[in-house]
Structure formats: structure tokens, C-alpha cells
Amino acid sequence: MRGAVAKAGVLTEALPYIRTYRGRIVVVKVGGEALDDPHLASIVAEDLALMALVGIELVVVHGGGPQVSLAMTQAGVQPSFVDGLRVTDAATMDIVQRVLVGSINPGLVARLNDAGLSAVGLSGVDGGLLEVEPATSGAGHDLGFVGEVSAVDTRLVSTLLADGRTPVVASVAPDVDGVAHNVNADSAAGTIAAALKAAKLVYLTNVEGLYSDFGDRDSLVSEVKLGELEAMLPSLSAGMHPKATSAVRALRAGVGKAHILDGRVEHALLVEVFTDEGIGTQVLLDHSSHPNGGRSSC
Amino acid sequence: MRGAVAKAGVLTEALPYIRTYRGRIVVVKVGGEALDDPHLASIVAEDLALMALVGIELVVVHGGGPQVSLAMTQAGVQPSFVDGLRVTDAATMDIVQRVLVGSINPGLVARLNDAGLSAVGLSGVDGGLLEVEPATSGAGHDLGFVGEVSAVDTRLVSTLLADGRTPVVASVAPDVDGVAHNVNADSAAGTIAAALKAAKLVYLTNVEGLYSDFGDRDSLVSEVKLGELEAMLPSLSAGMHPKATSAVRALRAGVGKAHILDGRVEHALLVEVFTDEGIGTQVLLDHSSHPNGGRSSC
Amino acid sequence: MRGAVAKAGVLTEALPYIRTYRGRIVVVKVGGEALDDPHLASIVAEDLALMALVGIELVVVHGGGPQVSLAMTQAGVQPSFVDGLRVTDAATMDIVQRVLVGSINPGLVARLNDAGLSAVGLSGVDGGLLEVEPATSGAGHDLGFVGEVSAVDTRLVSTLLADGRTPVVASVAPDVDGVAHNVNADSAAGTIAAALKAAKLVYLTNVEGLYSDFGDRDSLVSEVKLGELEAMLPSLSAGMHPKATSAVRALRAGVGKAHILDGRVEHALLVEVFTDEGIGTQVLLDHSSHPNGGRSSC
Amino acid sequence: MRGAVAKAGVLTEALPYIRTYRGRIVVVKVGGEALDDPHLASIVAEDLALMALVGIELVVVHGGGPQVSLAMTQAGVQPSFVDGLRVTDAATMDIVQRVLVGSINPGLVARLNDAGLSAVGLSGVDGGLLEVEPATSGAGHDLGFVGEVSAVDTRLVSTLLADGRTPVVASVAPDVDGVAHNVNADSAAGTIAAALKAAKLVYLTNVEGLYSDFGDRDSLVSEVKLGELEAMLPSLSAGMHPKATSAVRALRAGVGKAHILDGRVEHALLVEVFTDEGIGTQVLLDHSSHPNGGRSSC
Amino acid sequence: MRGAVAKAGVLTEALPYIRTYRGRIVVVKVGGEALDDPHLASIVAEDLALMALVGIELVVVHGGGPQVSLAMTQAGVQPSFVDGLRVTDAATMDIVQRVLVGSINPGLVARLNDAGLSAVGLSGVDGGLLEVEPATSGAGHDLGFVGEVSAVDTRLVSTLLADGRTPVVASVAPDVDGVAHNVNADSAAGTIAAALKAAKLVYLTNVEGLYSDFGDRDSLVSEVKLGELEAMLPSLSAGMHPKATSAVRALRAGVGKAHILDGRVEHALLVEVFTDEGIGTQVLLDHSSHPNGGRSSC
Amino acid sequence: MRGAVAKAGVLTEALPYIRTYRGRIVVVKVGGEALDDPHLASIVAEDLALMALVGIELVVVHGGGPQVSLAMTQAGVQPSFVDGLRVTDAATMDIVQRVLVGSINPGLVARLNDAGLSAVGLSGVDGGLLEVEPATSGAGHDLGFVGEVSAVDTRLVSTLLADGRTPVVASVAPDVDGVAHNVNADSAAGTIAAALKAAKLVYLTNVEGLYSDFGDRDSLVSEVKLGELEAMLPSLSAGMHPKATSAVRALRAGVGKAHILDGRVEHALLVEVFTDEGIGTQVLLDHSSHPNGGRSSC
């Protein structure tokens, strides 16, 4: 019974977190790295499944950088980046969409279904979820078929959540003429979380979290206020910048909290969501509010 | 991170059990002993809350033997039992109802609410949940205001479950003239589980489980088939007999499984429901069936 | 056919009152006195049933002063009052809850069910209906476990009404720590009526109504405006004060009308609600409004 | 208070009848005679309103014989009858439809609205409620535009009842080509009651009830079993025959009970439905059944 | 296949119009002239049916001037008009109601049902749809039972639309005492369209459209802005004035667009609604707005 | 107005077809050929949009043979076929899924959205729509990752239809272990139509229809009974065989009708569905039934 008692302890430790998040929306952005390793991918799927099964209204958004780069190399196309954004000509865009929508997305949906969910793969075109405008780099370079989200319609996502499904979104979306564009997945996740007024937005990345000094691994920040993060934006690394920017926008738009976690650590999601252990970096509102449901004071 | 990994392991171990029972009805009968000790009562409430919070449609049924006996002693009335059933005259019945409905029930509701649920106390009279006929002992003794359930109407329970509430039922119910009677709580739990076609029926008792030989503590049975349990009925102890009888009836009426657990062990419920550890006694159908939801074979 | 004609006349006299109140919420506070006499209690139940059966959304709130006092005497505890409020130590509170929640409440529910309703007994703890803070007497005396309602959540009541049930509320409620407190039933009824924006709030009492001069039985007031009643508050008797105070609060919060009736008169409720006979005291808004449903003027 | 007590007595006498019929469908056929006298018509409207307002799902069907005959005389057309059925040529049919649908129907709807209902006038064409085939007299005479109901679709009626409306049906209906025909109102009422499985079907007529010997006013039958009525059919008067025939069909099709009342007696409906006074003739099933709602025996 | 290609071209031309109006409310006022000729009436019914069948929420309002005049002549009553409004004494009102409600309305309902709809005939009294006050002519003449709409309650219409029915409204309505009055059908259509915030209001008339110079058939206006039409009101012909006035009111109240079409032209409705051909006169808002559904910009 | 009249004629010709199919499910299988030519693809999208916009519950299933073959050639892999089924090794399967799910599917969704729908792309994995078992050729050859549908769960499709969406299904589906397999699109369409009890199943192909003698273009069959088609199965061409087989199965399972159309003909869909012109081959049940909705005969 020794092990049994310890197990019960872990489960009861999870109780207040389940109480807080069940029935509320959590958006998780899963990076391509976490999905590239089958073992890690299967653990991530298990963690996401547990979140959904305890009643969290889960929305998953994924990218697929490494897989796209591999497919480009196989097709003899050389990836090129400007300001951390992939320059995307028509041939590249074709590869991007085939890999993200036609390979990574159904693969992740299959894993989530195996873990007990009823997942549904989407990209920006489905139900008009996302619409983009052409993006340009900071320096004004034309990036080709790279889009910035200009409109979002989450009604299909809400219908699927209400039907007990788990939407899994690939970060590709059409412009107003229906032409597919590549969208930064961090940014797509933040936009969707904002439109849904999610309770929490989690980035599963390939770093430990946010460093106050990018060169110094001891400078990992475990908690940062929204205002502080905004002040840090100019000094952030190219990889962290879109996450931080979209986290700031999401919290400004009503999302409750954001987390940046190391997706290479097994079960990082579960530990962050359901235990008292603090990992990665947590971004909080400057001031928190206390809604009281249907109860009115006298 | 060592502890974090172990914790994640416990949570993922719970995944298949959550998958199996979420959205399905589980009826838990909590004995008076488990509620008599404040520490144990608070742990039981926590365990029940976790079950409900991960999406199990939970119905709690409770008795309150020790508390009734105490109240009778305080009032100068001497408890008497025939065949393990309390002989209940009008004065005793008054005490039974006041203790079960007016003290134990709201106390348990308060604990469950503190643990994050929205519990609602009921007894058999509420919404016409249970109706009884006078019971007699095996030897034909008049037992006074002791009733055997003759009709059950679970529509109120279903309304409350659909509204996200947790019904908590005290085992007192009226006869056709509206006169309150004492009802064996094991039997009430079984009747309600049967009417709801519950997926599982759990008895939290003050014994370790079912013994094949009552005098021999080593004869604890960890699993028994319905047919075998039926064969054992004549030889069971007075305390175990109503549990076993009502378990048999419930499984015959469509309940999926029954469990007899030791309510004195901390978190016995959690361990039984969410871990691979086997405790207590499990009663299984002789043959199991495999429903496949909305999916049809081709 | 003579009697038949007269009967038809009474029924058609009731028509405009049914038209006015069907589909609207009426809260009736029933005093312990009316429930103490079985004959009177059965008539009250019949009257309440008729109200609910013609389509009024009925909520019943009850106290139980005489029954609590009797139980205390039987247990050898001496009731004591400060400012008309019962001083309630732990032992007394135990008796209060057992009598109100465990005896009077299921008794009234049983009577209402016998009269054709599907009643459901509640106290403040159920579904988090009421939460209290410790009350003190005007002179600052500690009253023990006496609470003043600090929060109300009528969602469970609304669910039950929508399901065709009649909620019956005992005036006991937990504080923030889940500890049960005694609540003045007049005040609980007013608070619930206010939260539900009831069309009408009726107090069934043991006096004829409100007297302008408490010593003079000829000074019975048959109608009083809200502003006038507010002005009378300081001069009212100890028994009338909580009724009048809670009526004033309820009307200020949007309740349409209040009535103070003599619960000792047979069928006082029916006569007040469904006939042209004026009995007891009616409290009206200073100015009345005329909602016109979904019809818009051109 | 004397009158008040008597009034309360009448109201409580009505209680069991309200309990029985609320939420159940009652179809009332109102004869043209009852609507011809404004005083009587207004009383009938009041009675019908009371029935609907206490929660009975009321469907009203009306004819208009005297009014049609008057309009024909005014237009210089001579009414002629075969076997009690009006011979209806095209000009007559035009008058029938204008009087029933364009005059009596909106007049009755207006009266019911004034009495507090939200009534909606229909004829057989609306929502495809009724479809007819040409009727012939027993002797094979062509009756012109007289139809016998060949199909019924009560979905519109159910929608209106669910929306809290009171459908008022004029007995005119199209054949398969959309050509309007005159339909016997007794027969239309019986057909609609049967399709709705009404709890009760009431004929408000211009006789006291059913006579076992038509010439003898002392032979009024106050209660008759379905089988007995069937046996009496061949000997009934021309006016009573369609009522009795359609009552027999309706009860055979699942209607609970039928009543034949004297519509010339003020408030005959109220007295029959809500009091212990027996008036007119009641047609009962040979054996009655006892449904028990959602409650299951153990 | 030649014809097939042309047919497909017409169908695809209709696509954007179906896209625009499906799921939105269109109110069509059909003049008595269009219903007087059976051939034309059957084409109008077919056109209306097509509109409803492609998903337009259709509400039909009709008058019946010529038919009323004929019935009056047949009854030996001489029609008289003041300011284009029919002077209506009690005998005339009786004829008006019988013709509109009892003849034209069920006739149109039958035609629509034959064309595949489930139409439901209404007049102002049904479900309290319209209530009127006595109208006077501009010069203050008493017009008898002529009413101006003073209140509108479209809840019944909405219930019917949600149930997939097509409401067909005869322009007769009661005053506050339930007395039927004649209502100008153009004005009734405008009032109902305004209350429903219809997307479009169409008048099927017996002129080609609006003329800027009434005497000059070449002055037909194919499009006019709301402000311009308002300026033209004083100079309009007696027949056009109520249409133009009610169109102005409807657009001011939120209706999207109005059309005045020649109902004597076969399929004028279909051509106007579903093709690029412009016919009749279109009344537009001075400025148009662009709602964007559930999509939000980023 | 000449053109206008002709247009109106086409629209009214469509009326009975709209009446028949609105609110009913039609499954359209679109072949890869029809989607390969942008001009044709845009016409097909327009036709599908019109079907959905007039209220048909549309489900689109597509293949993509030519596009897959091209992608394989580009990747240097040589397509090989056995019995008309593509032999699919792991590398080929990867290409199949990327092309069907990641390129053709979102491309068709984008076209349908541009035409006014809210389309949602699916493959067999989404919401567990389809599950497969490995298929073998008739001669028992291992075909690699080619699957035959073994289970279908259309609940997600029904949810999307009820939400006003148009599901677009790519014919790829997982086996029980979640491994993606290639599925014959004709067969997938038939299976889904059968599970949904579709009113109609349409195959848009690259032949004119079914030939009784494959070598003789004059032997085009415009109508064939189910029994006759079954008899022809052994003699059909390799391309027609899966269509015919799945049509037979679908009709046997309750689908109302099947059509085989030439997708290379512009607007073939519109012409078949909405006009009197007969094109392609129609497969009918041997006997047809006449459901009559909610109307019951008397």
C-alpha cells in the first residue's frame, strides 16, 4: 500500500489544478521538435489527452519547422530565413502545406485519438478559422507566402469543443483570395487563444524557458509580469521573440496566463499543469482579478 | 525534477481509468464509519471531489449507523437490532431522520462543496426519489419504521447530474402515505445504481473486503464473479450480506461492476478508481460486453 | 346546478390572478407555527400545491421556531433570545439543523408531494445557495452560530424550477468555512426573492398582519406603500421587524409586491392569491410599472 | 371571511382535477350555437382560458352551423341537408369558408386573447393539418364540397402548444388538389384528438347529453362505456350520431375519455372539468390503465 | 447539352443572391390584383415557394382590394374611399374580414402548400400579431373600422419561421377591445418587416414601379435613395403613397432594402431576387453597412 | 425582359428538385481529374456551393489519383497498380497523404469557402471517421498501405452538418494502430453515404457514365436498376468496378439513388441535380418507397 498512498498524494495534489481549469480553454502550442521524436511525441500526446480528459477545453496548435526543412532538403530546395521567418516561395509553400497539413497534423491527431481523445485536424482554411495578409520582415524584405493573421473566426473551434472534440490546428492559412500562406505557429496560437479568451496559453518549445540574459543559462526566469516581459521584448533572441510577442498580445487581449516550457523534458506539460512543481517560465497579468461565477454578494 | 517525473507517472497511470469512467455514472456508498472521523471524512470528500472533477457522474449514498446510535444513547433510547436491521419505533425514526438528513447529509455536502463540487443533499422524499414498503426481518419480526425500496424515480438525480451537481443521498424514504422510514443504505445505493445503469458501484465499508471465510483474514477475495458471489450469499456475515445482496441485484440490473473497499484506509477510493493497485474486492459480471459507441462496423 | 354555478363563479374569479402569476416566481415564507399543527400544515401544503399546479414558479422557505424550542427543552437546553434572535451555541446549532433540515423540511416536502407536487428539500449549503457571515445583535452581543446572508447563488433553484420541481428551503446556511449557522427565515426568504426578482413575496405568520399601533388590534393596515413601511420600521414589534425589513429590502431589489398573512387562518394563501377578498397586509411599490412583454409600440 | 372560506373550498376541490390534466392535451369542440350568443360565447371563452391557464394543453375545434345558414339566407341560397350533412355546392362552400374561417374563427381567437391566452386561428389547410376526400351520404348521394378527413398532420399544432399558444381550428380543409371542403366539426375534433392522443375530448353541444331514448328527456345517460356506446350507434339521433361515432373512434385510437356537455349551460365546461359535480354524458374506456410516469417498481 | 449549359448558367447566376439572402428574412407584400388572376396567382406562389425553399425566411402579407370590392357589390354595398383609404362601416368590415381572412388567405396558403411549402395563414389577431387604433383620413374624416397599427408582436411569426413554416398574413387586426379593423396591407407589411429587421421588403404591385413624374411612363425610377424617396413623398400618387411611406419607415427602422415590382409581370419576384436583371424600383439606404458575422479583425 | 423570362423558367424548373433534396444528405465523390484543371475545379466548387446553399446537406469525398502520380514521379517513385488499386509502400503512402490531405483537400476547401460555404477538411482520422483493415488484391497480392474501410463513425460529420458546415473528406484513413492507409475514394464515399443514409450518392468521374458494352460509346446506360447493376458487376471495367460495387452496397444499405456523371462536362452536377435534362447514368432501387413525413392516414 506504500506506493498506493504516494499515488493518491499525487492525485490529490492535482485536485486544485483540475478544479481551476476544467471547463476552461487552454491553448497549447507544440513545436515541431517535440513532434519529431516519436517517443517524445507520444508522451506529449498522452499529456494533452490527460488535460482534455479531465475536462479542460483543449486547443492544440502546432508548427513543424524541422520536418519542413527536411522535406525541402529532400526536394532539393535550400531553406532561407529573414529575421527568423522562413522565406517562402510557391514551391516551398507547397512543401510547407503538405508537411504541416498532410503529415504532421494527421499524425498528431492519430496519436491523440490513440490516447483516448476525439481529435479533429484543422488548418486556417477550415471553417474560415484564420485569414492572413502578406507579412514583411522588419527590414521590409518580401517574404513570399508568409502571412500575418488579419482575421480570426473561432466559431468552428467552439462547435468542436462543445461537441467534445479536440481541435488540432496546423499553422497554414489562406489570404483573402484563398491562397495558402505559412503562418508563424506561436503567433497563430496566441491569436486563437486571444479570440477564445483562453484561461491559459502554453508554448512547448526547445528551450528551458525565458532567460533574462540569453547567453547565461543561470538567468532562467521562472515568473515574469506582463509589463516586465513587454519591456524585455527588444532584447530577446530571434526564437523567443515571436513567442514573447504573441504572449504579450494574448494576455493584453484577455488570456489569463502564459507559460513557456521545455518540450524536450518528458511530461513537462503535466508537471506544469497539474503539480506544485514550477518549471519553465510563467507570464502573469500585472494584476489578477477574482470572478465569482453566478454568486452575488448581499 | 525527480519528483516531477514520478508525479507525471502517476498522472499518466490514471489516464486510462479517467478515459473509461468520465461521462459515466459511478455510485459510491459511504458508510457512517468513514464519516465519523473528521480526518477520514475530509479525505473521502477530497477523493469524491476528484472523481467528479475529472468528469465522472458521481452519486453519493450514505448511511450513518454510529452517529444514529450515539444520538439514541444521548436521548436515552437503547438501540436494538434484528438480523442486522435496526428496529425502529417512531421515536427512533425521528432520531434517524434528524441525524441522517439533518446532520450527516449537510455535513458531507459542505465538505464536498469545500473540495470544489456543487453538491446537493437529498433523501428519498425529494423529487419522489425512493418509496418504501415496510420491511420485516427474515423471521417475520416487525421492524417498525424500516422500509424496503418499492419504487425509484431517478429523474431528479439525472437533472442534477446534467446540471453539473453531485447528488448526495441520505437513506431515509417515505412510504406511500409519506411516512418516513429507515432504509438500509447499501440497498438504497444498489437500487439507485441499478435504476441509473451505473458503470460502477462502490461500497466504502469498515472491512477490508469480502472474505471467503469470514473468520480468516487471509481469505480476502480480490475478485469474484457475479455467479460465485451469488453462491456465497447464504454464508456471508450479517454486515456483508446486504452489500453483497444489493451488489448482486445491481449487476443483474445492468450495473457494470461493484467494489467493496475499506473506507478506513486513506484514499482507498482514489487508489481503486485511478491506479493499477488492486485493493478490496471487485465483483465482475460473469461475461463482459464491448459496446462501441456510435461506430458501426462495415 | 345551483352549487355548480357558484363554483364556476369562484373559478372564474381566480382567472385574472392565475393569468397574472403563472410563469412568474412567488416566494412563500411559512412560519413554524403553521407547520406545527398537522391540520393547518396539510391545508398550507394544499394551498401551495394549487399555486404551483396552476403554473406559479413557487419557492417555499420555512423556519421552525416552536419545533426547535421544543427539541431544546427535550434535550434540557434553555432557549435564550437577544433582540428577537436566538442565541445559538454549538449544541443548539446542532439541534436547530437537525430539526429544520432533518425533520420539518422533509415533512413539508412529503406533504407537498402528497398534494401532487415534486418538491425538493434544500438548505443553504445545497448547491451553494446561501453563505453567511456571523451576525451580531444591535447591541453588539455575540449570538453564536447565527448568520446573516452574505452571498446567494440561485442557479440550483432556477434549475429545479425549470425542471418543474418546487424547492423547499430550510433557513440554515454555512459560513465560508462550511460551518452551519442559523439564519432568520424571513430574511432568507427576502434575500432569495430579491435574487430571483420574484413577482411576489408572501409571509405566512402568526399575526393578522401589520398593525400601525401594535397594541391596537383595530389598527390593522391592509395596504402600505414601500416608503411608508420604511418610515414605520423603528416602531415595529420584534416579531414584525425582520419581516418588514426583509420586505423593504426585497422590494427595493426588484420584487413586485409583499404580503403579510395570518397563517393560522385556513386557506389564507389561496384567498389572498386567487380571490378578490383582501386579507392581511399588502406592501406595494411606491409607483408601479407596466411591462408589455414582447410587444412593441409603433 | 365566510365567503373566503367557501371560495377556498371550491379552489381546493379543483386541485385534483388540475393535477390530473395539467400538461396533458384536451380537445374541446365548440358548437356554433355556443358561439352565436355573445354572452354565452364570452363565458365559453373564459372557461377555455381558465383551462389553458392552469396548464392544460388546449386545442379548440369549432363549427358554425347557424351562422353559415344565416349567411346563406342573406345571400339568397337555400341550405339543404342529406343525412344531417350539409349539401355544399361551390357557392355554398365559399360562404362556409368565409363564415367559419373569416368570421367565427377570428372572433373566437379575439375572445380567447381577451381572456388572457395567445390563441392562433387555423383551418385544415394551415401547415397541412387536415386533408380530405369527398364524402358521400349513406345512400350514396353526392354531397358536393363535403369532405371526410383522410390525413392529419398535427406537427404545427404541437409546435404551437409547445410555444404556449392555443390552436383554434375551423372545420374546413383542402382535398389533395388544395380545394377547400366543409368538414363535420365533431369528426374533425375526434380526428385531431386521436392524432394527439388527447387525455380528454369534450363536445360542447346544444343538448343536455346522450339520451338512451331520444324522445325521453329523463333517459339522460351520465356515464357510458365505450362498448355500450358502440352498441347504441345505430339508434342515435342524426345530431348525436357524428359526435358518438367520432368519440368511439377517438377512444379506440387512444384518447382517454370523452364528454358530451350542454353548451347552453353557463360554465358547463368549468363545472365538468374542475368540480365534483357530474353533468352531461361521460364516455369511458371499457378498462382503464394506470401509467406511472418515470417511476419504476423494484 | 446546349440547353443544359444555359440552364446551369442561370443557376450559377443565382448563386450570389442565394448566398446573400438565405437565412435572412424577406417580407413580400402581394397585392390583391396578383391574386385575382388564377394563372398569375399560381406563378406568384411558385416564386414565393422557391424563395422559401432556398432558405429565405419568407413572410407574406396580402391585401385583397378587388376581391373585397366585388363581394361588396354582390352584397349590394357601394365601396367608398377617402384619401385612397376604404371607408369601412360594420357591414363592410364583416365583408372585408370574410374575404381577406376567409377566402384569399386560405387560398394563398393552399397554393403555397401545393408548391411545396408549409404555409400558415394568420391575421393580426393570431398570437396578438398586430393591434390597431382607429385611423382618420388626412382631412380628419372618420373612416369607420379602418385601423392604423399601434403595436406589433412578431414572436409567433418567429416561432413559425424557426419551425420551417411560411407565415401568410391577412391585413385585418383587432383594436384593444378585440374589434376587427381593416388595415392597409402595404403599411402592415412595412410594420412587420421593421419589427423583424427584415433584410428586404418587396411590394408586388399593379404598376411598373415608382415614376418620378406620375404622368410620364418614361420616368420610371430604377433606384432611389431613402432620403430622395422621403423628399418625393408629397408628390406621389394615392396608390404609391402608402407603399412609399411604409418603405421609408421600414428602412428607417432597420430593414435593409425595399423593392417595388410589377406583380402583373410573370416571375417578377424571381427575376428581381435571383438574377442580375434589374426590374421595378429599388429603395436603398443612403449609406450601406458591412457586417462581418462572427469574424473579428486582428 | 426576354432573358428574364427564360431565367425565371430555369429557376422554376429547379423548384421540384430543391423541394425534394433540401434538408436531405447528398454525398458527392469528386475525382482527382475534376480537381486537376483549375477552371473545371472552380466550376465544380460553384456547383457544390449551390447545392449546399439551397439547403442540401452536402458531404464531399475526393480522391486525387493524377496529383499523387505526379508527386510520385517528381519524387522519383514509379506508381504501380494491381487490379486498379495502387500498390502503396511507406514512401508512397507518405506522398499520398501529403498530396490528398495536405494539398488537394485544403485547396478544395478554399474554393468552396470562396464560393460562399463554410467547408471543413477531414480525413479518416479526424474524429475517428474511418478505420481500415489492410486490403489485398483479388489475386491475394499484398498492396502495402492500402486499406478497406472496416468501421465508420459519422457523428463528427453530423455535428458539422448541423452546424451548417460542409465536410470535405480526403480518402486516407488509419488502421487500428493509427497508421495511415490509402483508401479507394469511391468506396469511402459509398461507405459514408450508407452510414448517413444519404438521399443521393453522386460520382463525378472522367467517363460519360456506365456503358453496357465498355468498347461501345453508344451503349451508355442512362438508367439502371440496382438488381441489373449487380448482375453487370463481373463485366465492368477496372475503373468502373469500384464505383459500381460501392453504389450497389450503398443502395443496399439505404441510400436512395446513385449517379455516375462525367465530371469533365461543365456544371454536370447542377444539370443532373436541378434540371429535367438527363445526363450520365442513374442507379435506382428496384422498388421505390413513399415516406409521408409526419402525416398519418385516417
Side-chain angles (χ1 to χ4, degrees), chain C residues 1 4 7-8 10-15 18-19 22 46-47 49-50 52-55 114-116 265 267 270-271 274-275 277 279, chain D residues 1 4 7-8 10-15 18-19 22 46-47 49-50 52-55 114-116 265 267 270-271 274-275 277 279:
Chain C
M1 267 312 280
K7 287 177 178 181
V10 175
L11 292 168
T12 55
E13 184 182 322
L15 184 57
I18 295 173
R19 196 155 57 206
R22 71 190 297 259
E46 216 173 27
D47 289 9
L50 191 71
L53 285 173
V54 301
D114 288 350
V265 174
H267 296 303
L270 280 198
V271 170
F274 294 119
T275 77
E277 315 281 330
I279 61 171
Chain D
M1 270 311 282
K7 288 178 177 180
V10 175
L11 293 169
T12 55
E13 183 182 321
L15 184 56
I18 295 174
R19 197 157 53 205
R22 71 190 299 256
E46 219 173 25
D47 289 8
L50 191 71
L53 285 173
V54 301
D114 288 350
V265 174
H267 296 303
L270 281 199
V271 170
F274 294 118
T275 76
E277 315 280 331
I279 62 172

Side-chain angles (χ1 to χ4, degrees), chain A residues 7 13 19 22 53 115 277, chain B residues 7 19 22 53 115 277:
Chain A
K7 287 177 180 182
E13 182 181 323
R19 196 155 55 205
R22 71 190 297 257
L53 286 173
E277 316 280 329
Chain B
K7 287 178 180 181
R19 196 156 55 205
R22 71 191 298 257
L53 285 173
E277 315 281 330

Side-chain angles (χ1 to χ4, degrees), chain E residues 10-31:
Chain E
V10 175
L11 292 169
T12 55
E13 183 182 322
L15 183 57
Y17 301 101
I18 294 173
R19 196 156 55 205
T20 302
Y21 287 109
R22 71 190 298 258
R24 305 184 68 190
I25 294 173
V26 173
V27 176
V28 179
K29 189 263 164 161
V30 183

Side-chain angles (χ1 to χ4, degrees), chain B residues 203 205 207-210 240 243 258-262 279-281 283:
Chain B
Y203 299 95
T205 71
V207 293
E208 275 185 81
L210 181 73
M240 188 54 67
K243 286 174 227 313
H259 281 272
I260 299 166
L261 299 181
D262 191 342
I279 61 170
T281 300
V283 189

Side-chain angles (χ1 to χ4, degrees), chain E:
Chain E
M1 271 308 283
R2 201 67 279 281
V5 169
K7 286 178 179 181
V10 175
L11 292 169
T12 55
E13 183 182 322
L15 183 57
Y17 301 101
I18 294 173
R19 196 156 55 205
T20 302
Y21 287 109
R22 71 190 298 258
R24 305 184 68 190
I25 294 173
V26 173
V27 176
V28 179
K29 189 263 164 161
V30 183
E33 292 79 8
L35 300 175
D36 214 18
D37 169 356
H39 175 66
L40 213 49
S42 117
I43 289 176
V44 167
E46 216 173 27
D47 289 9
L48 292 167
L50 191 71
M51 291 172 68
L53 285 173
V54 300
I56 292 174
E57 311 252 290
L58 181 68
V59 179
V60 181
V61 180
H62 68 85
Q67 296 88 337
V68 167
S69 295
L70 174 64
M72 289 176 69
T73 308
Q74 286 171 341
V77 185
Q78 185 60 35
S80 85
F81 291 83
V82 171
D83 296 356
L85 296 167
R86 186 186 298 274
V87 179
T88 310
D89 58 13
T92 303
M93 186 58 227
D94 206 42
I95 292 171
V96 165
Q97 187 169 2
R98 289 183 182 203
V99 170
L100 293 190
V101 178
S103 178
I104 297 179
N105 189 273
L108 181 50
V109 167
R111 284 186 188 284
L112 292 172
N113 286 354
D114 287 351
L117 299 188
S118 178
V120 178
L122 300 175
S123 77
V125 77
D126 291 309
L129 173 56
L130 298 174
E131 191 176 293
V132 301
E133 285 173 355
T136 50
S137 76
H141 281 89
D142 179 11
L143 297 164
F145 296 92
V146 173
E148 220 160 284
V149 178
S150 55
V152 57
D153 178 349
T154 52
R155 285 177 297 179
L156 173 61
V157 167
S158 299
T159 295
L160 292 171
L161 289 173
D163 198 44
R165 315 284 178 175
T166 302
V168 178
V169 184
S171 58
V172 171
D175 65 10
V176 73
D177 298 319
V179 179
H181 283 64
N182 192 8
V183 181
N184 179 279
D186 294 324
S187 164
T191 303
I192 290 169
L196 292 167
K197 304 271 180 245
K200 194 186 270 216
L201 167 60
V202 182
Y203 299 95
L204 263 193
T205 73
N206 58 347
V207 294
E208 277 183 81
L210 180 73
Y211 299 101
S212 56
D213 173 357
F214 184 55
D216 176 6
R217 300 220 28 187
D218 289 344
S219 72
L220 184 67
V221 178
S222 61
E223 192 175 305
V224 64
K225 294 276 184 181
L226 174 52
E228 295 164 9
L229 180 57
E230 232 162 353
M232 292 167 71
L233 282 180
S235 66
L236 293 175
S237 69
M240 188 53 67
H241 196 271
K243 286 174 225 315
T245 306
S246 90
V248 164
R249 282 194 198 146
L251 269 73
R252 286 268 172 259
V255 171
K257 237 187 207 197
H259 281 272
I260 299 166
L261 299 181
D262 192 342
R264 301 162 308 181
V265 174
E266 295 192 1
H267 296 302
L269 257 176
L270 280 199
V271 171
E272 195 287 311
V273 177
F274 294 118
T275 77
D276 300 336
E277 315 280 330
I279 62 170
T281 300
Q282 174 165 234
V283 190
L284 300 174
L285 291 171
D286 297 321
H287 307 284
S288 55
S289 66
H290 300 282
N292 69 349
R295 173 171 285 240
S296 63
S297 299
C298 294

Side-chain angles (χ1 to χ4, degrees), chain A residues 1 4 7-8 10-13 15 18-19 22 46 50 52-54 115-116 265 267 270-271 274-275 277 279, chain B residues 1 4 7-8 10-13 15 18-19 22 46 50 52-54 115-116 265 267 270-271 274-275 277 279:
Chain A
M1 271 308 282
K7 287 177 180 182
V10 175
L11 293 169
T12 55
E13 182 181 323
L15 184 57
I18 295 173
R19 196 155 55 205
R22 71 190 297 257
E46 217 172 27
L50 190 72
L53 286 173
V54 301
V265 174
H267 297 302
L270 281 199
V271 170
F274 295 118
T275 77
E277 316 280 329
I279 61 171
Chain B
M1 268 313 280
K7 287 178 180 181
V10 175
L11 292 169
T12 55
E13 183 182 321
L15 184 56
I18 295 174
R19 196 156 55 205
R22 71 191 298 257
E46 217 173 26
L50 191 73
L53 285 173
V54 300
V265 174
H267 296 303
L270 281 198
V271 171
F274 294 118
T275 77
E277 315 281 330
I279 61 170

